[in-house]
Amino acid sequence: MKILVINAGSSSLKYQLIDMTTEGVIAKGNCERIGTPESSITHNTADGKKFKYDVYFPTHTEAFEKLVEVLTTGEGKVVDDLSEISAVGHRIVQGGKYFSESVLVTDEVKKIISSISDLAPLHNPAHIQAIEACQKVLDKSVPQIVVFDTAFHQTMPPKAYMYALPYEYYEKYQIRKYGFHGTSHRFVTARYAELTGSDITTKKIVTCHLGNGSSISAVDGGKCVDTTMGFTPLDGLIMGTRSGAVDPSVVLYIMKNQNLTPDEMNDLLNKKSGFLGLSGTTSDSRDLIKAADEGSVPAQIAVRMLRYQIKKYIGAFAAAMGGLDAVVFTGGIGENSDSLREEVCTDMEFFGLKIDLDKNQKLNRGEGKISADDSKIEAWIIPTNEELLIARDTKKIVEGLNK
Ligand code: ADP
């Protein structure tokens, strides 16, 4: 079975074609800058070949038509016929309170995803456009499945997801913590159970997804009980361009003193803050570390801030769960930055966590346990694979349909 995984943004459509017999990636790429004169497709095949096609596509539908052409014809061709693609799995950012698991796309499902577009204005409308593009271009019989970033966090109790605002705003606008990166937190949780051969229902773990966007989750017995991102992905940790948590009064103070509109303030918090805002030069953690090493004080502060915040959340979530068995690091920073993992886990012996510095370095960019043998709490690096989990969910639902 071959499954196409789609991750659509407002001007892009990332894809991976996965062979579910081997779970290997057949091809992957991105239709970029949809709706602009610079639109193009990058397409990489499993044999290491890279292609770039400069083609104009005004909307997601034309982009998807072009993608189908790339997959089935020319030098980058990876399938003889479109009918080889058994199903499509879509990543959806916001499922609100409506979806706690992945589902088959129906008219009703589309309607609900659209109805909560207010909660993810940059993402949900684009997801619907991508679903409709697939429906137009592929045979009607090809099932489409939606997998939500928020679904894994739906198990949080009200004490974790509510904000202490007048209750009417929860009722009227559904203002609450939703959490994001759920597919990644779920993937590494399952992989931890697999790698350790343990019964996940008996484990308390903290999963740290650290990339351009970062979030940490408390996972008790395989279920998420708390997470750092909130109503939107802006909350929690300092990120590439997002501020993470700030005192809400600061937002009002800046708006007032700088005469900013809500949209301008939103832009400042989401696109001009975080590593970029502090350093003034970069949102990329590698460049930030380089700037810090070269003596930039704000970059040094930004590097320290993320590590300090992670440490703090590990402690907070251990307390919330009444114990901790393992900390898992994943995402571009979590998987690749041995210095971050080292600093986060240093001076945590009092707490039961002791890192093995040698393993931490040797396993960098790999997968495995990096805590010392006598550490009560384990620490792991587990590379995430959100696309694979989307493909697995898709396969499971499609097989259920065929029964
Ligand atoms: P996204 O959240 O967009 O999926 P990734 O998970 O790929 O992003 O993470 C990207 C981040 O990972 C970037 O900030 C990048 O600098 C960081 N990263 C990659 N390699 C390293 C490294 N060796 N040391 C520190 N950070 C790294």
Side-chain angles (χ1 to χ4, degrees), residues 209-213 275 283-286 289 331-333 336-337 365:
H209 176 104
L210 312 168
N212 280 320
F275 296 158
S283 64
D284 187 282
S285 118
R286 274 164 301 192
I289 292 172
I333 301 176
N336 296 304
S337 179
R365 284 163 239 263

Side-chain angles (χ1 to χ4, degrees), residues 261-312:
T261 64
D263 281 348
E264 286 166 342
M265 190 65 210
N266 192 41
D267 213 46
L268 188 150
L269 291 166
N270 277 289
K271 300 195 180 139
K272 299 178 184 159
S273 298
F275 296 158
L276 180 65
L278 280 170
S279 71
T281 53
T282 183
S283 64
D284 187 282
S285 118
R286 274 164 301 192
D287 297 339
L288 187 78
I289 292 172
K290 195 160 162 264
D293 290 344
E294 286 166 3
S296 158
V297 173
Q300 287 166 0
I301 294 171
V303 168
R304 292 280 98 75
M305 273 176 82
L306 175 64
R307 298 171 181 195
Y308 171 69
Q309 291 176 359
I310 298 167
K311 200 187 258 280
K312 226 165 56 164

Side-chain angles (χ1 to χ4, degrees), residues 102-124:
S102 307
V103 293
L104 177 73
V105 173
T106 60
D107 288 345
E108 182 60 20
V109 165
K110 270 167 56 182
K111 221 185 274 169
I112 300 173
I113 296 171
S114 293
S115 76
I116 46 177
S117 282
D118 264 5
L119 303 179
L122 295 179
H123 290 99
N124 277 25

Side-chain angles (χ1 to χ4, degrees), residues 198-220:
S198 60
D199 172 5
I200 200 68
T201 62
T202 65
K203 296 287 178 188
K204 296 175 191 298
I205 66 175
V206 166
T207 51
C208 307
H209 176 104
L210 312 168
N212 280 320
S214 296
S215 67
I216 299 185
S217 290
V219 184
D220 193 350

Side-chain angles (χ1 to χ4, degrees), residues 73-129:
T73 60
E75 274 189 83
K77 169 177 159 171
V78 283
V79 288
D80 287 325
D81 193 274
L82 215 49
S83 62
E84 287 177 45
I85 297 173
S86 309
V88 183
H90 295 265
R91 174 209 178 201
I92 310 290
V93 164
Q94 180 55 276
K97 64 178 177 188
Y98 304 100
F99 300 101
S100 53
E101 55 188 25
S102 307
V103 293
L104 177 73
V105 173
T106 60
D107 288 345
E108 182 60 20
V109 165
K110 270 167 56 182
K111 221 185 274 169
I112 300 173
I113 296 171
S114 293
S115 76
I116 46 177
S117 282
D118 264 5
L119 303 179
L122 295 179
H123 290 99
N124 277 25
H127 299 326
I128 291 292
Q129 278 177 294

